[in-house]
Amino acid sequence: KQEVTQIPAALSVPEGENLVLNCSFTDSAIYNLQWFRQDPGKGLTSLLLIQSSQREQTSGRLNASLDKSSGRSTLYIAASQPGDSATYLCAVGLDSTDKLIFGTGTRLQVFP
Amino acid sequence: DGGITQSPKYLFRKEGQNVTLSCEQNLNHDAMYWYRQDPGQGLRLIYYSQIVNDFQKGDIAEGYSVSREKKESFPLTVTSAQKNPTAFYLCASRTGRGAGLGQPQHFGDGTRLSIL
């Protein structure tokens, strides 16, 4: 059974730092891996989606990598800003129906 | 604007009562999903639907029911059989066609259900 783990559970950093959030999964037979952002009391916003055949995706200050063989993905946030404060969730897509298995998230706080 | 609308934002259920959460999308998406989120936990899949008049159970379907009579609507009923319904419920949709398989799910803003 696929399990997704995110480390650390919480992170507090000063503005301007470069950050790495970690996601690990137990079964390398995945369809895709997705990173989402969740603000308090809100739904999820998609940040990056990496297909199983890809190694990384970039959007602005965000870069996500995927290493299926080791069961790991990282989300890199460059030059963090207070507006980046949120919970970041990674999710593994099991097949083309896009059933997702979510990690428990990393709660990020960026202070000025 | 295109998006997903969930209503109500807050809902209270009495013991033994069934309640229905609404999810409507105007994105012309084929696939729709219901998730449950408990404090400090990730999302867990309740039900999903790839096309109208068809749906499948997710990991925690017991005590829940759904219907998909229209492409844009995917209501979730929390029945009295669900003994611990207090949670944040999120609805999502995604285009299910061809190249759209590489597209992410779009989420509504959720409904918070509590027991009176």
Side-chain angles (χ1 to χ4, degrees):
Chain A
K1 180 182 176 184
Q2 180 72 267
E3 293 184 1
V4 181
T5 304
Q6 291 187 246
I7 295 173
L11 188 60
S12 183
V13 299
E15 181 177 9
E17 280 205 3
N18 299 325
L19 308 171
V20 175
L21 307 183
N22 296 294
C23 173
S24 61
F25 46 95
T26 55
D27 188 343
S28 61
I30 66 172
Y31 190 74
N32 60 42
L33 187 138
Q34 304 183 37
W35 283 94
F36 294 89
R37 167 185 173 139
Q38 185 176 30
D39 292 293
K42 296 291 188 179
L44 277 63
T45 300
S46 176
L47 298 174
L48 292 164
L49 183 153
I50 311 175
Q51 301 280 33
S52 62
S53 58
Q54 298 174 322
R55 296 297 300 270
E56 67 175 348
Q57 283 285 341
T58 298
S59 176
R61 293 182 296 108
L62 305 179
N63 175 275
S65 66
L66 173 63
D67 184 345
K68 283 201 311 178
S69 61
S70 66
R72 297 174 65 178
S73 176
T74 60
L75 178 66
Y76 177 81
I77 304 176
S80 59
Q81 304 171 357
D84 295 330
S85 298
T87 296
Y88 290 81
L89 295 156
C90 75
V92 168
L94 300 181
D95 53 41
S96 61
T97 65
D98 209 33
K99 287 186 296 184
L100 297 178
I101 304 295
F102 280 84
T104 54
T106 294
R107 190 173 65 253
L108 173 65
Q109 182 182 16
V110 181
F111 53 91
Chain B
D1 283 7
I4 301 177
T5 302
Q6 290 188 242
S7 62
K9 190 173 179 63
Y10 299 96
L11 186 58
F12 299 91
R13 195 192 87 169
K14 296 180 181 179
E15 294 289 342
Q17 186 181 44
N18 292 352
V19 292
T20 298
L21 284 60
S22 171
C23 178
E24 303 277 334
Q25 54 98 359
N26 60 4
L27 299 167
N28 198 33
H29 284 172
D30 296 298
M32 297 187 74
Y33 309 81
W34 273 107
Y35 295 92
R36 169 181 172 139
Q37 186 177 32
D38 293 283
Q41 297 190 30
L43 282 65
R44 292 181 291 169
L45 182 64
I46 305 173
Y47 268 98
Y48 64 105
S49 169
Q50 298 292 296
I51 58 173
V52 175
N53 292 321
D54 188 42
F55 48 83
Q56 288 77 41
K57 293 182 178 180
D59 298 322
I60 55 166
E62 186 174 351
Y64 300 97
S65 66
V66 293
S67 63
R68 187 83 187 278
E69 297 177 1
K70 299 186 297 182
K71 186 176 184 178
E72 57 270 22
S73 178
F74 192 39
L76 173 73
T77 296
V78 184
T79 74
S80 58
Q82 173 50 245
K83 299 306 180 186
N84 184 25
T86 297
F88 189 48
Y89 291 86
L90 288 160
C91 177
S93 71
R94 189 196 63 143
T95 181
R97 302 177 182 180
L101 294 177
Q103 296 299 312
Q105 294 181 20
H106 294 248
F107 283 78
D109 277 342
T111 292
R112 192 167 298 280
L113 175 62
S114 302
I115 296 296
L116 288 177

